[in-house]
Amino acid sequence: MNSAFTGAKKQLDKIKPFLGNSVDLLKKPQKFFARKITVRLDNGKKKTFQAFRCQYNNARGPFKGGVRFHPRVSEDEMKALAFWMAVKCAVVGIPFGGSKGGVAVDPSSLSQGELRRLSFAYANFIAPIIGPWQDVPAPDVNTDGVIMAWMLEAYEKKIGQQAPATFTGKPVELGGSQGRIGATGFGGVVILKEYLKKINAKKANAKLAVQGFGNVGYWFAKFADEAGFKVVAVSNSKGGIYNPKGLKIDKLTDSFKPNITNAELLALPVDVLVPAALENAITNTNAKKINAKCILEMANGPTTPEADEILAKKGIDVIPDVLANAGGVTVSYFEWVQNLQSYFWSQEKVFAEEKKILEKAFADIAAEAKARRVSFRQAAFILAVGRILEAMKLRGRI
Ligand code: NAD
């Protein structure tokens, strides 16, 4: 089993030649909370679930990170994801640190009522350690705006006042931002266009295969389709659907009938492979079989460090997660800003501002990669970790 956090620490080791041994200071989180939370089931019995919140670093601003409901949620995974959040916020230059939370649960085994009670229990667990200037949770795998609304309700009940800026990814009716739901996918398309411009490749008819058809995968595929890319395959945990002539994304629902496996999707002869499901999808066992020219990491941590080396040897560019999927947290930042001001933006303004931030982040990273002759991932980490360490220095923490 690949440890995501071990992989994350290896990524830090790789930038030591550029930033020195101080990168070791980022090999552990500032705070880690774990507790069993109890939920009443519909049949009257009680069930306990392991819950976590990892607050990795807040030198650049309040902790920021999603909440995941998934059977595979573990201490190791939380630490890796929280670390990557801190890096991601520094990559795009928004004033947040990094955190992550989750519950080890298969939400598909719960009724709506049980899911709501689980969300309430989780919010009560983290209530003392979150807040607009402390730690700002958001949706992640298997959580969404509805769950954020339940968590906001539980949190506000506990503290006795309104505090919408404590959660992002909320429904628009409760102070959520226009555009947040599709923001991660939209941002991925912005970054892909910048990358293709940089390598002088034409986007017309570029073939894309997308692993994962949830919030990120669906919206990415939809915006890519609208932008003129040809999405030839998508998948979910049950398998994938492939049509070399291109899929009609707006007609596709998550209940499509699979005609390929996820392993086959990863090996398709496409221009861009887009992992948008979970960590460790591309490993040293399947990296050799990848036929794409480039990988756009829309999931967090989909490529292990060993696979990264194999891909580099094969000459496949990897556009790293901390840049490719940073559109989500960027619009979460806009949501937080709008909530603090109680003044709301149009969707056009949200997407225009998101595009500006992501295009600048891409340009900065591309320039760093060129100047230092390193991969996009290393360039992103050098810039971001440098910014975090600088903030720690300014605060006198180191
Ligand atoms: P989601 O729960 O909405 O969707 C996950 C998708 O992955 C589903 O289609 C599921 O069926 C599929 N999947 C699960 N296991 C799979 C497997 N083994 N093979 C193929 N498909 C599989 O989650 P999401 O919000 O879309 O998040 C996906 C990834 O993007 C995660 O890594 C998450 O951390 C990252 N991410 C999400 C956001 C966001 O705004 N939601 C932002 C940045 C990064």
Side-chain angles (χ1 to χ4, degrees):
M1 188 66 187
N2 284 298
S3 153
F5 193 46
T6 304
K9 285 186 281 192
K10 278 190 195 157
Q11 292 171 333
L12 275 174
D13 285 332
K14 282 202 172 165
I15 56 166
K16 244 185 208 177
F18 305 95
L19 297 183
N21 287 340
S22 54
V23 302
D24 285 338
L25 293 166
L26 287 179
K27 283 188 174 165
K28 59 176 191 334
Q30 285 176 219
K31 292 178 197 169
F32 191 86
F33 304 87
R35 182 182 303 166
K36 292 239 179 350
I37 56 176
T38 303
V39 177
R40 182 176 51 79
L41 302 180
D42 292 345
N43 64 11
K45 290 192 180 136
K46 286 188 174 159
K47 192 165 176 184
T48 55
F49 299 92
Q50 183 64 57
F52 302 102
R53 186 81 187 160
C54 177
Q55 295 182 328
Y56 208 92
N57 187 284
N58 66 352
R60 299 186 60 263
F63 298 110
K64 179 89 192 80
V67 180
R68 180 174 289 198
F69 287 173
H70 193 278
R72 248 174 49 183
V73 160
S74 65
E75 179 170 341
D76 180 273
E77 185 188 51
M78 292 292 105
K79 286 180 179 168
L81 291 167
F83 165 65
W84 289 326
M85 282 305 297
V87 173
K88 194 182 302 182
C89 293
V91 160
V92 283
I94 57 175
F96 284 130
S99 56
K100 202 81 181 190
V103 180
V105 57
D106 175 5
S108 67
S109 69
L110 301 180
S111 69
Q112 273 292 95
E114 290 167 343
L115 193 57
R116 188 175 55 82
R117 293 195 286 279
L118 177 75
S119 304
F120 263 66
Y122 183 75
N124 280 326
F125 155 49
I126 59 171
I129 53 162
I130 60 170
W133 296 103
Q134 224 176 330
D135 185 355
V136 183
D140 190 66
V141 173
N142 291 329
T143 58
D144 57 12
V146 172
I147 290 177
M148 291 308 112
W150 290 333
M151 289 192 186
L152 178 70
E153 174 72 1
Y155 176 69
E156 290 182 342
K157 255 189 186 157
K158 190 125 185 155
I159 64 164
Q161 61 181 351
Q162 301 266 313
T166 308
F167 293 86
T168 60
K170 301 180 297 294
V172 171
E173 295 81 352
L174 295 182
S177 178
Q178 297 289 346
R180 174 61 185 90
I181 190 162
T184 310
F186 175 83
V189 176
V190 170
I191 295 292
L192 181 58
K193 283 187 191 164
E194 290 306 291
Y195 167 75
L196 293 176
K197 240 190 269 169
K198 184 172 163 31
I199 62 161
N200 293 319
K202 293 218 165 44
K203 85 163 192 280
N205 287 328
K207 286 187 181 170
L208 273 50
V210 184
Q211 183 204 40
F213 202 53
N215 179 281
V216 175
Y218 168 74
W219 286 100
F220 174 80
K222 188 174 155 58
F223 284 118
D225 188 43
E226 284 171 12
F229 293 100
K230 195 183 274 190
V231 181
V232 294
V234 301
S235 71
N236 58 24
S237 52
K238 297 187 191 100
I241 176 163
Y242 174 49
N243 180 349
K245 293 197 186 117
L247 298 167
K248 290 200 170 62
I249 298 301
D250 50 356
K251 299 236 161 64
L252 205 60
T253 64
D254 196 36
S255 51
F256 57 77
K257 206 163 150 242
N259 62 6
I260 54 165
T261 63
N262 266 294
E264 285 165 346
L265 180 138
L266 294 178
L268 286 175
V270 289
D271 296 292
V272 188
L273 176 64
V274 186
L278 294 176
E279 334 46 288
N280 297 333
I282 303 172
T283 63
N284 55 356
T285 50
N286 61 15
K288 297 177 204 92
K289 297 181 195 142
I290 285 176
N291 285 305
K293 296 188 189 118
C294 142
I295 293 178
L296 181 76
E297 293 186 331
M298 292 305 291
N300 284 311
T303 313
T304 66
E306 295 74 23
D308 226 12
E309 278 172 23
I310 297 170
L311 296 170
K313 280 195 196 120
K314 285 179 69 147
I316 299 175
D317 271 342
V318 179
I319 307 170
D321 47 7
V322 289
L323 174 64
N325 70 31
V329 76
T330 301
V331 175
S332 274
Y333 162 56
F334 298 157
E335 182 174 337
W336 178 79
V337 167
Q338 291 169 77
N339 289 157
L340 290 176
Q341 299 182 338
S342 277
Y343 183 77
F344 291 88
W345 304 359
S346 66
Q347 177 157 313
E348 291 69 37
K349 179 174 163 86
V350 168
F351 281 162
E353 296 290 321
E354 175 184 357
K355 188 164 172 280
K356 232 190 283 174
I357 288 189
L358 293 178
E359 286 178 352
K360 180 177 184 308
F362 181 87
D364 288 351
I365 288 168
E368 187 82 8
K370 191 170 175 200
R372 300 208 189 240
R373 295 165 178 260
V374 294
S375 68
F376 286 115
R377 189 185 318 277
Q378 269 180 298
F381 272 70
I382 292 167
L383 271 181
V385 171
R387 287 171 185 164
I388 298 170
L389 290 173
E390 182 59 25
M392 289 168 75
K393 220 180 280 168
L394 287 168
R395 285 174 180 275
R397 290 189 191 174
I398 55 176

